[in-house]
């Protein structure tokens, strides 16, 4: 039987990209839908790339280090500033 080994919880990273107004896009207009799709896809990719870079720079991404700092200080470990995103 397969052996399942639970992993240590990782830190979660979230990013919210710019909103898109789709009220003016005619869903029957293939070209307009394709353009909107490309814009959304590009924004999503940029956001994911930003989060991946920020995660690599996060000094507290390691569970053991983060928990040690939080237990000693009694506060959540600091995270990166929003200015790290959307560069």
């Amino acid at each position: 039987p397969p052996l399942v080994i639970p992993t240590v919880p990782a830190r979660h990273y979230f990013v919210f990209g710019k909103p898109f107004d789709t009220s003016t896009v005619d869903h029957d207009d293939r070209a307009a839908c394709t353009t909107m799709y490309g814009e959304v896809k590009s924004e999503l990719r940029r956001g994911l790339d930003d989060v991946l870079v920020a995660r690599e720079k996060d000094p507290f991404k390691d569970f053991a280090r983060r928990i040690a700092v939080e237990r000693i200080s009694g506060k959540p470990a600091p995270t990166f500033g929003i200015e790290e995103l959307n560069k």
Side-chain angles (χ1 to χ4, degrees):
L3 177 62
V4 177
I5 301 172
T7 59
V8 177
R11 192 171 220 183
H12 297 278
Y13 301 85
F14 298 93
V15 65
F16 296 93
K18 71 177 185 179
F20 288 90
D21 179 17
T22 59
S23 64
T24 60
V25 178
D26 178 7
H27 68 277
D28 291 324
D29 182 351
R30 186 178 278 293
C33 290
T34 300
T35 299
M36 177 60 72
Y37 174 79
E39 291 173 10
V40 171
K41 184 177 177 181
S42 175
E43 176 67 14
L44 179 62
R45 171 51 49 202
R46 188 191 56 74
L48 290 172
D49 289 344
D50 287 349
V51 167
L52 291 174
V53 169
R55 182 176 68 178
E56 287 305 310
K57 292 180 181 179
D58 184 0
F60 299 103
K61 68 181 174 183
D62 178 63
F63 177 76
R65 182 172 184 201
R66 186 173 69 252
I67 290 300
V69 167
E70 290 177 352
R71 295 292 165 110
I72 291 169
S73 70
K75 296 186 263 182
T79 186
F80 55 87
I82 193 72
E83 63 277 355
E84 289 294 317
L85 300 175
N86 303 325
K87 287 186 175 180

Coordinates of all heavy atoms in Angstrom, one line a residue:
P1 N 0.8 -1.2 0.0 CA 0.0 0.0 0.0 C 0.9 1.3 0.0 O 1.9 1.3 0.6 CB -0.8 -0.1 1.3 CG -0.1 -1.1 2.2 CD 0.7 -1.9 1.3
P2 N 0.4 2.3 -0.6 CA 1.2 3.6 -0.6 C 1.3 4.2 0.8 O 0.4 4.0 1.6 CB 0.3 4.5 -1.5 CG -0.9 3.8 -1.9 CD -0.9 2.4 -1.3
L3 N 2.4 4.8 1.0 CA 2.7 5.4 2.3 C 2.5 6.9 2.1 O 3.1 7.5 1.3 CB 4.2 5.1 2.7 CG 4.6 5.7 4.0 CD1 3.8 5.2 5.2 CD2 6.1 5.4 4.2
V4 N 1.7 7.4 3.0 CA 1.4 8.8 2.9 C 2.1 9.5 4.1 O 1.8 9.1 5.3 CB -0.1 9.1 3.0 CG1 -0.4 10.6 3.0 CG2 -0.8 8.5 1.8
I5 N 2.9 10.4 3.9 CA 3.6 11.2 4.9 C 3.1 12.6 4.9 O 3.3 13.3 3.9 CB 5.2 11.1 4.7 CG1 5.6 9.7 4.7 CG2 5.9 11.9 5.8 CD1 7.1 9.5 4.3
P6 N 2.5 13.1 6.0 CA 2.0 14.4 6.0 C 3.2 15.4 5.9 O 4.2 15.2 6.5 CB 1.3 14.6 7.3 CG 1.7 13.4 8.1 CD 2.2 12.4 7.2
T7 N 2.9 16.5 5.3 CA 4.0 17.5 5.1 C 3.7 18.6 6.2 O 2.6 18.8 6.7 CB 4.0 18.2 3.7 OG1 2.7 18.7 3.5 CG2 4.3 17.1 2.7
V8 N 4.7 19.4 6.4 CA 4.6 20.5 7.4 C 3.9 21.6 6.7 O 4.1 21.9 5.5 CB 6.1 21.0 7.8 CG1 6.0 22.2 8.7 CG2 6.8 19.8 8.4
P9 N 3.0 22.3 7.4 CA 2.2 23.4 6.7 C 3.2 24.5 6.2 O 4.1 24.9 6.9 CB 1.3 23.9 7.8 CG 1.6 23.1 9.0 CD 2.6 22.1 8.7
A10 N 2.9 24.9 5.0 CA 3.7 25.9 4.4 C 3.0 27.3 4.6 O 1.8 27.3 4.9 CB 3.9 25.7 2.9
R11 N 3.7 28.3 4.4 CA 3.1 29.6 4.4 C 2.3 29.8 3.1 O 2.7 29.4 2.0 CB 4.2 30.7 4.5 CG 3.8 32.0 4.8 CD 5.0 32.9 5.1 NE 4.7 33.8 6.2 CZ 5.5 34.7 6.7 NH1 6.7 34.9 6.1 NH2 5.1 35.5 7.7
H12 N 1.2 30.5 3.2 CA 0.4 30.7 2.0 C 0.6 32.1 1.5 O 0.7 33.1 2.3 CB -1.1 30.5 2.3 CG -1.4 29.1 2.7 ND1 -1.6 28.1 1.8 CD2 -1.5 28.5 4.0 CE1 -1.8 27.0 2.5 NE2 -1.8 27.2 3.8
Y13 N 0.6 32.3 0.2 CA 0.9 33.6 -0.5 C -0.3 33.9 -1.4 O -0.8 33.0 -2.1 CB 2.1 33.5 -1.3 CG 3.4 33.2 -0.5 CD1 3.7 31.9 -0.2 CD2 4.2 34.2 0.0 CE1 4.8 31.6 0.5 CE2 5.3 33.9 0.8 CZ 5.6 32.6 1.1 OH 6.7 32.3 1.8
F14 N -0.8 35.1 -1.3 CA -2.0 35.5 -2.1 C -1.6 36.8 -2.8 O -0.9 37.6 -2.2 CB -3.2 35.7 -1.2 CG -3.7 34.4 -0.5 CD1 -3.2 34.2 0.7 CD2 -4.5 33.5 -1.2 CE1 -3.7 33.0 1.4 CE2 -4.9 32.4 -0.6 CZ -4.5 32.1 0.7
V15 N -2.2 37.0 -3.9 CA -2.1 38.3 -4.6 C -3.4 38.5 -5.4 O -4.0 37.6 -5.9 CB -0.8 38.3 -5.6 CG1 -1.0 37.3 -6.7 CG2 -0.6 39.7 -6.1
F16 N -3.8 39.7 -5.3 CA -5.0 40.1 -6.0 C -4.6 41.1 -7.1 O -4.1 42.2 -6.8 CB -6.0 40.7 -5.1 CG -6.5 39.7 -4.0 CD1 -5.9 39.7 -2.8 CD2 -7.5 38.9 -4.3 CE1 -6.3 38.8 -1.9 CE2 -8.0 38.0 -3.4 CZ -7.3 37.9 -2.1
G17 N -4.9 40.7 -8.3 CA -4.5 41.6 -9.5 C -5.6 42.6 -9.7 O -6.5 42.8 -9.0
K18 N -5.3 43.4 -10.8 CA -6.3 44.5 -11.1 C -7.6 43.9 -11.5 O -7.7 42.8 -12.1 CB -5.7 45.4 -12.1 CG -5.6 44.8 -13.5 CD -5.1 45.8 -14.5 CE -5.1 45.2 -15.9 NZ -4.6 46.1 -16.9
P19 N -8.7 44.6 -11.2 CA -10.0 44.1 -11.7 C -10.2 44.4 -13.2 O -9.6 45.4 -13.7 CB -11.0 45.0 -10.9 CG -10.2 46.2 -10.5 CD -8.8 45.8 -10.4
F20 N -11.0 43.6 -13.8 CA -11.3 43.8 -15.2 C -12.8 44.0 -15.4 O -13.6 43.3 -14.9 CB -10.9 42.5 -16.0 CG -9.4 42.4 -16.2 CD1 -8.7 41.7 -15.3 CD2 -8.8 42.9 -17.3 CE1 -7.3 41.5 -15.4 CE2 -7.4 42.8 -17.4 CZ -6.7 42.1 -16.5
D21 N -13.1 45.1 -16.1 CA -14.5 45.4 -16.4 C -14.9 44.6 -17.7 O -14.4 44.9 -18.8 CB -14.7 46.9 -16.6 CG -16.2 47.3 -17.0 OD1 -17.1 46.4 -16.7 OD2 -16.4 48.4 -17.5
T22 N -15.8 43.7 -17.5 CA -16.3 42.9 -18.6 C -17.7 43.3 -19.1 O -18.2 42.6 -20.0 CB -16.3 41.4 -18.3 OG1 -17.2 41.2 -17.2 CG2 -14.9 40.9 -17.9
S23 N -18.2 44.3 -18.5 CA -19.6 44.7 -18.9 C -19.7 45.2 -20.3 O -20.8 45.1 -20.9 CB -20.1 45.7 -17.9 OG -19.3 46.9 -18.0
T24 N -18.6 45.7 -20.8 CA -18.6 46.2 -22.2 C -18.2 45.2 -23.3 O -18.2 45.5 -24.5 CB -17.7 47.5 -22.3 OG1 -16.4 47.1 -22.0 CG2 -18.2 48.6 -21.4
V25 N -17.9 44.0 -22.8 CA -17.4 43.0 -23.8 C -18.6 42.2 -24.2 O -19.3 41.6 -23.4 CB -16.4 42.0 -23.1 CG1 -16.0 40.9 -24.1 CG2 -15.2 42.8 -22.7
D26 N -18.8 42.2 -25.5 CA -19.9 41.4 -26.1 C -19.5 39.9 -26.2 O -18.5 39.6 -26.9 CB -20.2 41.9 -27.5 CG -21.3 41.1 -28.2 OD1 -22.0 40.2 -27.6 OD2 -21.6 41.4 -29.4
H27 N -20.2 39.1 -25.5 CA -19.8 37.7 -25.4 C -19.9 36.9 -26.8 O -19.4 35.8 -26.9 CB -20.6 36.9 -24.4 CG -22.0 36.7 -24.7 ND1 -23.0 37.7 -24.4 CD2 -22.7 35.7 -25.2 CE1 -24.1 37.3 -24.8 NE2 -24.0 36.1 -25.3
D28 N -20.6 37.5 -27.7 CA -20.7 37.0 -29.1 C -19.5 37.4 -30.0 O -19.3 36.9 -31.1 CB -22.0 37.3 -29.7 CG -23.2 36.7 -29.1 OD1 -23.0 35.5 -28.6 OD2 -24.2 37.3 -28.9
D29 N -18.7 38.4 -29.5 CA -17.6 39.0 -30.3 C -16.4 38.2 -30.0 O -15.7 38.4 -28.9 CB -17.5 40.5 -30.0 CG -16.4 41.1 -30.8 OD1 -15.6 40.4 -31.5 OD2 -16.3 42.4 -30.8
R30 N -16.0 37.3 -30.8 CA -14.8 36.4 -30.6 C -13.6 37.2 -30.4 O -12.7 36.9 -29.5 CB -14.7 35.4 -31.7 CG -13.6 34.4 -31.4 CD -13.4 33.3 -32.5 NE -14.3 32.2 -32.5 CZ -14.4 31.3 -31.6 NH1 -13.6 31.3 -30.5 NH2 -15.2 30.2 -31.7
A31 N -13.4 38.2 -31.2 CA -12.1 39.0 -31.1 C -12.1 39.8 -29.8 O -11.0 39.8 -29.2 CB -12.1 40.0 -32.3
A32 N -13.2 40.3 -29.4 CA -13.2 41.1 -28.1 C -12.9 40.1 -26.9 O -12.2 40.4 -26.0 CB -14.5 41.8 -27.9
C33 N -13.5 38.9 -27.0 CA -13.3 37.9 -26.0 C -11.9 37.4 -25.9 O -11.3 37.2 -24.9 CB -14.3 36.7 -26.2 SG -16.0 37.1 -25.8
T34 N -11.3 37.3 -27.1 CA -9.9 36.8 -27.2 C -9.0 37.9 -26.6 O -8.0 37.6 -25.9 CB -9.5 36.5 -28.7 OG1 -10.3 35.5 -29.1 CG2 -8.1 36.1 -28.8
T35 N -9.3 39.2 -26.9 CA -8.5 40.3 -26.3 C -8.6 40.3 -24.8 O -7.6 40.4 -24.1 CB -8.9 41.6 -26.9 OG1 -8.8 41.6 -28.3 CG2 -8.2 42.8 -26.3
M36 N -9.8 40.2 -24.3 CA -10.0 40.2 -22.9 C -9.3 39.0 -22.2 O -8.6 39.1 -21.2 CB -11.5 40.2 -22.5 CG -11.8 40.1 -21.0 SD -11.1 41.5 -20.1 CE -12.2 42.8 -20.6
Y37 N -9.4 37.8 -22.8 CA -8.7 36.6 -22.3 C -7.2 36.8 -22.2 O -6.6 36.5 -21.3 CB -9.0 35.4 -23.2 CG -8.3 34.2 -22.9 CD1 -8.7 33.4 -21.8 CD2 -7.1 33.8 -23.6 CE1 -8.0 32.3 -21.4 CE2 -6.4 32.7 -23.2 CZ -6.9 31.9 -22.1 OH -6.2 30.8 -21.8
G38 N -6.6 37.4 -23.3 CA -5.2 37.7 -23.3 C -4.8 38.6 -22.2 O -3.8 38.4 -21.5
E39 N -5.6 39.7 -21.9 CA -5.3 40.6 -20.8 C -5.4 40.0 -19.5 O -4.5 40.2 -18.6 CB -6.3 41.8 -20.9 CG -6.0 42.7 -22.1 CD -7.1 43.8 -22.3 OE1 -7.9 44.0 -21.3 OE2 -7.2 44.4 -23.3
V40 N -6.4 39.2 -19.3 CA -6.6 38.5 -18.0 C -5.5 37.5 -17.8 O -4.9 37.4 -16.7 CB -8.0 37.8 -17.9 CG1 -8.1 36.9 -16.7 CG2 -9.1 38.8 -17.9
K41 N -5.1 36.7 -18.8 CA -4.1 35.7 -18.7 C -2.7 36.4 -18.4 O -2.0 35.9 -17.6 CB -4.0 35.0 -20.0 CG -3.0 33.9 -20.1 CD -3.0 33.1 -21.4 CE -2.0 32.1 -21.4 NZ -2.0 31.4 -22.7
S42 N -2.5 37.5 -19.0 CA -1.2 38.3 -18.8 C -1.1 38.8 -17.4 O -0.1 38.7 -16.7 CB -1.1 39.4 -19.8 OG 0.0 40.2 -19.5
E43 N -2.2 39.3 -16.9 CA -2.3 39.8 -15.5 C -2.1 38.7 -14.5 O -1.4 38.8 -13.5 CB -3.6 40.6 -15.2 CG -3.8 41.1 -13.8 CD -2.8 42.2 -13.4 OE1 -2.1 42.8 -14.3 OE2 -2.7 42.5 -12.2
L44 N -2.8 37.6 -14.7 CA -2.6 36.4 -13.9 C -1.2 35.9 -13.8 O -0.6 35.7 -12.7 CB -3.6 35.3 -14.3 CG -3.6 34.1 -13.5 CD1 -4.0 34.3 -12.1 CD2 -4.5 33.0 -14.1
R45 N -0.6 35.8 -15.0 CA 0.8 35.3 -15.1 C 1.7 36.3 -14.3 O 2.6 35.9 -13.6 CB 1.2 35.2 -16.5 CG 2.7 34.9 -16.8 CD 3.4 33.8 -16.1 NE 2.7 32.6 -16.1 CZ 2.8 31.6 -15.2 NH1 3.7 31.7 -14.2 NH2 2.2 30.5 -15.3
R46 N 1.5 37.6 -14.5 CA 2.4 38.6 -13.8 C 2.2 38.4 -12.3 O 3.2 38.4 -11.5 CB 2.0 40.0 -14.2 CG 3.0 41.1 -13.7 CD 2.4 42.5 -13.9 NE 1.1 42.7 -13.3 CZ 0.9 42.8 -12.0 NH1 1.8 42.7 -11.2 NH2 -0.4 43.0 -11.6
G47 N 1.0 38.3 -11.8 CA 0.7 38.1 -10.4 C 1.4 36.9 -9.8 O 2.0 36.9 -8.7
L48 N 1.3 35.8 -10.6 CA 1.9 34.5 -10.1 C 3.4 34.7 -10.1 O 4.1 34.2 -9.1 CB 1.5 33.4 -11.0 CG 0.0 32.9 -10.9 CD1 -0.3 31.9 -11.9 CD2 -0.3 32.4 -9.5
D49 N 4.0 35.3 -11.1 CA 5.4 35.5 -11.1 C 5.9 36.3 -9.9 O 6.9 36.0 -9.3 CB 5.8 36.2 -12.4 CG 5.7 35.2 -13.6 OD1 5.6 34.0 -13.4 OD2 5.7 35.7 -14.8
D50 N 5.1 37.4 -9.6 CA 5.4 38.3 -8.5 C 5.4 37.5 -7.2 O 6.3 37.6 -6.3 CB 4.4 39.4 -8.4 CG 4.6 40.5 -9.4 OD1 5.6 40.5 -10.1 OD2 3.7 41.3 -9.5
V51 N 4.4 36.6 -7.0 CA 4.3 35.8 -5.8 C 5.5 34.8 -5.7 O 6.0 34.6 -4.6 CB 3.0 35.1 -5.7 CG1 2.9 34.1 -4.6 CG2 1.9 36.2 -5.4
L52 N 5.8 34.2 -6.8 CA 6.9 33.2 -6.7 C 8.2 33.9 -6.4 O 9.0 33.4 -5.6 CB 7.0 32.5 -8.1 CG 5.9 31.6 -8.4 CD1 6.1 31.1 -9.9 CD2 5.8 30.4 -7.4
V53 N 8.5 35.1 -6.9 CA 9.7 35.8 -6.6 C 9.7 36.3 -5.1 O 10.7 36.1 -4.4 CB 9.9 37.1 -7.5 CG1 11.0 38.0 -7.0 CG2 10.2 36.6 -8.9
A54 N 8.5 36.8 -4.6 CA 8.4 37.2 -3.2 C 8.6 36.0 -2.3 O 9.2 36.1 -1.2 CB 7.1 37.9 -3.0
R55 N 8.1 34.9 -2.7 CA 8.2 33.7 -1.8 C 9.6 33.2 -1.7 O 10.1 32.8 -0.6 CB 7.4 32.5 -2.4 CG 7.4 31.3 -1.6 CD 6.5 30.2 -2.1 NE 7.1 29.7 -3.4 CZ 6.5 28.7 -4.0 NH1 5.4 28.1 -3.6 NH2 7.1 28.3 -5.2
E56 N 10.4 33.3 -2.8 CA 11.8 32.9 -2.7 C 12.6 33.9 -1.8 O 13.6 33.4 -1.2 CB 12.4 32.9 -4.1 CG 11.9 31.7 -4.9 CD 12.2 30.4 -4.2 OE1 13.3 30.1 -3.8 OE2 11.2 29.6 -4.1
K57 N 12.2 35.1 -1.8 CA 12.9 36.1 -0.9 C 12.4 36.1 0.5 O 13.1 36.7 1.4 CB 12.7 37.5 -1.5 CG 13.3 37.8 -2.8 CD 13.0 39.2 -3.2 CE 13.6 39.5 -4.6 NZ 13.3 40.9 -5.0
D58 N 11.4 35.4 0.8 CA 10.8 35.4 2.2 C 11.7 34.7 3.2 O 11.9 33.5 3.1 CB 9.4 34.7 2.1 CG 8.7 34.7 3.5 OD1 9.2 35.3 4.4 OD2 7.5 34.2 3.5
P59 N 12.2 35.4 4.1 CA 13.2 34.7 5.1 C 12.4 33.8 6.0 O 13.1 33.0 6.7 CB 13.8 35.9 5.8 CG 12.8 37.0 5.7 CD 12.1 36.8 4.4
F60 N 11.1 33.9 6.1 CA 10.3 33.0 7.0 C 9.5 32.0 6.3 O 8.5 31.5 6.8 CB 9.5 33.9 7.9 CG 10.3 34.8 8.8 CD1 10.4 36.1 8.4 CD2 11.0 34.4 9.9 CE1 11.1 37.0 9.2 CE2 11.7 35.2 10.6 CZ 11.8 36.5 10.3
K61 N 9.9 31.6 5.1 CA 9.1 30.6 4.3 C 9.3 29.2 4.9 O 8.5 28.4 4.9 CB 9.5 30.6 2.8 CG 10.9 30.1 2.5 CD 11.2 30.2 1.1 CE 12.6 29.9 0.8 NZ 13.0 30.0 -0.6
D62 N 10.5 29.0 5.6 CA 10.7 27.8 6.3 C 9.9 27.6 7.5 O 9.9 28.5 8.4 CB 12.2 27.7 6.6 CG 12.6 26.4 7.4 OD1 12.4 25.3 6.8 OD2 13.0 26.5 8.5
F63 N 9.2 26.6 7.7 CA 8.2 26.4 8.8 C 8.9 26.4 10.1 O 8.5 27.2 11.0 CB 7.5 25.0 8.6 CG 6.6 24.7 9.8 CD1 5.4 25.3 9.9 CD2 7.0 23.8 10.7 CE1 4.5 25.0 10.9 CE2 6.1 23.5 11.8 CZ 4.9 24.1 11.9
A64 N 10.0 25.7 10.3 CA 10.7 25.7 11.6 C 11.2 27.1 12.0 O 11.0 27.5 13.2 CB 11.9 24.7 11.6
R65 N 11.8 27.8 11.1 CA 12.3 29.1 11.4 C 11.1 30.1 11.8 O 11.2 30.8 12.7 CB 13.1 29.7 10.3 CG 13.7 31.1 10.6 CD 14.6 31.5 9.5 NE 15.2 32.8 9.9 CZ 15.7 33.6 9.1 NH1 15.8 33.3 7.8 NH2 16.2 34.8 9.5
R66 N 10.1 30.0 11.0 CA 8.9 30.9 11.2 C 8.3 30.6 12.6 O 8.0 31.5 13.3 CB 7.9 30.7 10.1 CG 6.7 31.6 10.2 CD 5.8 31.6 9.0 NE 5.1 30.3 8.9 CZ 5.3 29.3 8.0 NH1 6.2 29.5 7.1 NH2 4.6 28.2 8.1
I67 N 8.1 29.3 12.9 CA 7.4 28.9 14.2 C 8.3 29.4 15.3 O 7.8 29.9 16.4 CB 7.2 27.4 14.2 CG1 6.0 27.1 13.3 CG2 6.8 27.0 15.6 CD1 4.7 27.8 13.6
A68 N 9.6 29.2 15.2 CA 10.6 29.6 16.3 C 10.4 31.1 16.5 O 10.3 31.5 17.7 CB 12.0 29.2 15.9
V69 N 10.4 31.9 15.5 CA 10.3 33.4 15.6 C 9.0 33.7 16.2 O 8.9 34.6 17.1 CB 10.5 34.1 14.3 CG1 10.1 35.5 14.3 CG2 12.0 33.9 13.8
E70 N 7.9 33.1 15.8 CA 6.6 33.4 16.3 C 6.5 33.0 17.8 O 5.8 33.7 18.6 CB 5.5 32.7 15.5 CG 5.4 33.3 14.1 CD 4.4 32.7 13.2 OE1 3.9 31.6 13.5 OE2 4.2 33.2 12.1
R71 N 7.0 31.9 18.2 CA 6.9 31.5 19.6 C 7.8 32.4 20.5 O 7.3 32.7 21.6 CB 7.4 30.0 19.7 CG 6.5 29.0 19.0 CD 5.2 28.9 19.7 NE 4.2 28.2 18.9 CZ 3.8 27.0 19.2 NH1 4.1 26.4 20.2 NH2 2.9 26.5 18.3
I72 N 8.9 32.8 20.0 CA 9.8 33.6 20.9 C 9.2 35.0 21.0 O 9.2 35.6 22.1 CB 11.2 33.6 20.3 CG1 11.9 32.3 20.5 CG2 12.1 34.7 20.9 CD1 13.2 32.1 19.7
S73 N 8.7 35.6 19.9 CA 8.3 37.0 19.9 C 6.8 37.1 20.3 O 6.4 38.2 20.7 CB 8.4 37.6 18.5 OG 7.5 37.0 17.6
G74 N 6.1 36.0 20.2 CA 4.6 36.1 20.5 C 3.8 36.8 19.4 O 2.6 37.1 19.6
K75 N 4.4 37.0 18.3 CA 3.7 37.7 17.2 C 4.0 36.9 15.9 O 4.9 36.2 15.8 CB 4.3 39.1 17.0 CG 4.1 40.1 18.1 CD 4.6 41.5 17.8 CE 6.0 41.6 18.3 NZ 6.5 42.9 18.1
P76 N 3.1 37.1 14.9 CA 3.3 36.4 13.6 C 4.6 36.9 13.0 O 5.0 38.1 13.1 CB 2.1 36.9 12.8 CG 1.1 37.4 13.7 CD 1.8 37.9 14.9
A77 N 5.3 36.0 12.3 CA 6.5 36.3 11.6 C 6.2 37.4 10.5 O 5.1 37.3 9.9 CB 7.1 35.1 11.0
P78 N 7.1 38.3 10.4 CA 6.8 39.4 9.3 C 6.8 38.8 7.9 O 7.3 37.7 7.7 CB 8.0 40.3 9.5 CG 9.0 39.7 10.3 CD 8.3 38.5 11.0
T79 N 6.1 39.5 7.1 CA 6.0 39.0 5.7 C 6.6 40.2 4.8 O 7.0 41.2 5.3 CB 4.6 38.7 5.3 OG1 4.6 38.2 4.0 CG2 3.7 39.9 5.4
F80 N 6.6 39.9 3.5 CA 7.1 41.0 2.6 C 6.1 42.1 2.5 O 4.9 41.8 2.6 CB 7.5 40.4 1.3 CG 6.3 39.6 0.6 CD1 5.4 40.2 -0.2 CD2 6.2 38.2 0.8 CE1 4.4 39.5 -0.8 CE2 5.2 37.5 0.2 CZ 4.3 38.2 -0.6
G81 N 6.5 43.3 2.1 CA 5.6 44.4 1.9 C 5.0 44.3 0.6 O 5.5 43.7 -0.4
I82 N 3.9 45.0 0.4 CA 3.2 45.0 -0.9 C 4.0 45.6 -2.0 O 3.8 45.3 -3.1 CB 1.8 45.7 -0.7 CG1 0.9 45.5 -1.9 CG2 2.0 47.2 -0.5 CD1 0.4 44.1 -2.0
E83 N 5.0 46.4 -1.6 CA 5.8 47.1 -2.6 C 6.7 46.0 -3.3 O 7.3 46.3 -4.4 CB 6.6 48.2 -2.0 CG 7.6 47.8 -1.0 CD 7.0 47.6 0.4 OE1 5.9 48.0 0.6 OE2 7.8 47.2 1.3
E84 N 6.8 44.8 -2.8 CA 7.6 43.8 -3.4 C 6.8 43.2 -4.6 O 7.4 42.5 -5.5 CB 7.8 42.6 -2.4 CG 8.8 43.0 -1.3 CD 10.2 43.2 -1.9 OE1 10.6 42.4 -2.7 OE2 10.8 44.1 -1.4
L85 N 5.5 43.4 -4.7 CA 4.7 42.9 -5.8 C 4.5 44.0 -6.8 O 4.7 45.2 -6.6 CB 3.4 42.5 -5.2 CG 3.4 41.4 -4.2 CD1 2.0 41.1 -3.7 CD2 4.0 40.1 -4.8
N86 N 4.1 43.6 -8.0 CA 3.8 44.5 -9.1 C 4.9 45.4 -9.5 O 4.7 46.5 -9.8 CB 2.6 45.3 -8.7 CG 1.4 44.4 -8.4 OD1 1.2 43.4 -9.0 ND2 0.6 44.9 -7.5
K87 N 6.1 44.8 -9.5 CA 7.3 45.7 -9.9 C 7.4 45.7 -11.4 O 7.1 44.8 -12.1 CB 8.6 45.1 -9.3 CG 8.7 45.4 -7.8 CD 10.0 45.0 -7.3 CE 10.1 45.4 -5.9 NZ 11.4 45.1 -5.3

